[in-house]
């Protein structure tokens, strides 16, 4: 993202920031307006994203951002907000966060996790339709595009079908920043309309147990009707 400018404004009777940035996403340039507000206990960030070629949308995005408010009494149900569901029964994983339509699970339900094996499962979905081509190569490319995931053992790639969607399962590993081996479990599912879903799981210890849990949980992935 490239920073353009910021505005210091009043929102919900308190100081707030309105940031303007541009972002490249799959070869397209988007304008982003980011409203940041809150209090001494919580910060809220609301993102408005639109193609830079359609500046007229910006004024509507601006109005929408400024209509947002913080309900301190709201019961946060991350799993209810997602367009998909998974079943973690029989494992230690608990939902930890909901961000940009995706869910993250950790063993203590916290992000970042304090679990000794640093195990986590992240499930995300694409935004809009994509030109995919070869699904196997696209899956490898997508995994390699993640931070510090430049090496993928291509001999551990298998086709999978989950909830009627075809895709690929990749099992690989890497050395993390603390020089520890980290096992990576990656599943990419294609919906057939240019949209896709990613299950990305990792752990730095208890490899077999975690890998078994990752596979078990991935098989329960299901889109909500």
């Amino acid at each position: 993202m490239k920073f353009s400018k910021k505005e210091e404004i009043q929102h919900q009777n308190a100081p707030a920031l309105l940031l303007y940035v541009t972002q490249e996403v799959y070869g397209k340039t988007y304008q982003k307006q980011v409203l940041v507000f809150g209090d001494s206990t919580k910060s809220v960030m609301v993102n408005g994203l639109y193609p830079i070629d359609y500046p007229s949308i910006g004024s509507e995005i601006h109005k929408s951002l400024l209509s947002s408010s913080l309900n301190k009494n709201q019961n946060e149900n991350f799993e209810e907000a997602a367009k998909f569901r998974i079943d973690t029964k029989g494992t230690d994983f608990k939902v930890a966060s909901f961000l940009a339509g995706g869910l993250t699970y950790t063993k203590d339900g916290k992000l970042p996790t304090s679990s000794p094996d640093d195990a986590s499962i992240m499930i995300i979905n694409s935004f809009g339709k994509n030109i995919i081509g070869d699904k196997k190569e696209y899956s490898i490319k997508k995994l390699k595009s993640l931070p510090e995931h430049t090496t993928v053992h291509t001999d551990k790639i298998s086709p999978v079908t989950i909830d009627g969607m075809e895709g690929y399962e990749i099992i690989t590993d890497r050395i993390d920043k603390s020089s520890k081996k980290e096992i990576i479990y990656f599943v990419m599912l294609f919906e057939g309309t240019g949209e896709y879903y990613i299950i990305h799981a990792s752990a730095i210890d208890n490899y077999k147990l975690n890998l078994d849990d990752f596979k078990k949980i991935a098989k329960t992935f299901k889109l909500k009707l």
Side-chain angles (χ1 to χ4, degrees), residues 14-205:
L17 282 177
L18 189 58
L19 308 174
Y20 295 83
V21 300
T22 57
Q23 184 175 12
E24 296 290 330
V25 181
Y26 300 118
K28 295 182 180 180
T29 302
Y30 289 84
Q31 182 71 53
K32 215 172 190 181
Q33 295 184 31
V34 185
L35 175 65
V36 184
F37 66 99
D39 55 28
S40 60
T41 63
K42 179 178 289 188
S43 295
V44 178
M45 183 169 65
V46 187
N47 290 276
L49 181 71
Y50 55 96
I52 201 168
D53 296 333
Y54 297 90
S56 60
I57 301 176
S59 60
E60 297 301 318
I61 291 289
H62 186 81
K63 292 177 183 177
S64 297
L65 290 179
L66 296 183
S67 71
S68 62
S69 61
L70 175 61
N71 180 359
K72 296 181 181 179
N73 299 317
Q74 181 173 327
N75 180 25
E76 296 179 335
N77 190 327
F78 298 143
E79 291 175 301
E80 186 177 302
K83 62 184 293 187
F84 52 80
R85 62 171 60 92
I86 62 169
D87 188 351
T88 61
K89 292 178 182 177
T91 75
D92 294 329
F93 287 94
K94 305 174 183 67
V95 64
S97 77
F98 175 76
L99 180 64
L103 291 171
T104 300
Y105 292 76
T106 61
K107 291 185 176 180
D108 54 8
K110 298 177 182 179
L111 195 65
T113 180
S114 297
S115 176
D117 60 8
D118 201 30
S120 67
I121 303 171
M122 180 175 64
I123 307 164
I124 60 175
N125 53 266
S126 61
F127 293 97
K129 298 180 180 179
N130 302 273
I131 300 175
I132 292 173
D134 187 302
K135 294 177 181 178
K136 182 177 180 180
E137 291 302 317
Y138 194 88
S139 299
I140 296 172
K141 181 180 178 181
K142 182 60 65 174
L143 177 55
K144 286 184 174 182
S145 72
L146 299 177
E148 301 176 20
H149 285 63
T150 54
T151 301
V152 176
H153 301 306
T154 55
D155 60 325
K156 294 184 179 180
I157 301 178
S158 306
V160 294
T161 301
I162 299 174
D163 193 30
M165 291 182 285
E166 295 182 350
Y168 285 89
E169 172 191 85
I170 304 175
I171 301 173
T172 186
D173 58 66
R174 71 182 184 95
I175 303 300
D176 70 5
K177 293 180 179 179
S178 58
S179 300
K180 293 182 179 179
K181 176 185 173 182
E182 182 178 39
I183 189 171
I184 305 295
Y185 179 77
F186 182 89
V187 173
M188 193 161 187
L189 301 172
F190 300 91
E191 197 172 3
T193 59
E195 296 183 89
Y196 59 78
Y197 298 86
I198 289 174
I199 302 171
H200 179 278
S202 62
I204 60 173
D205 202 354

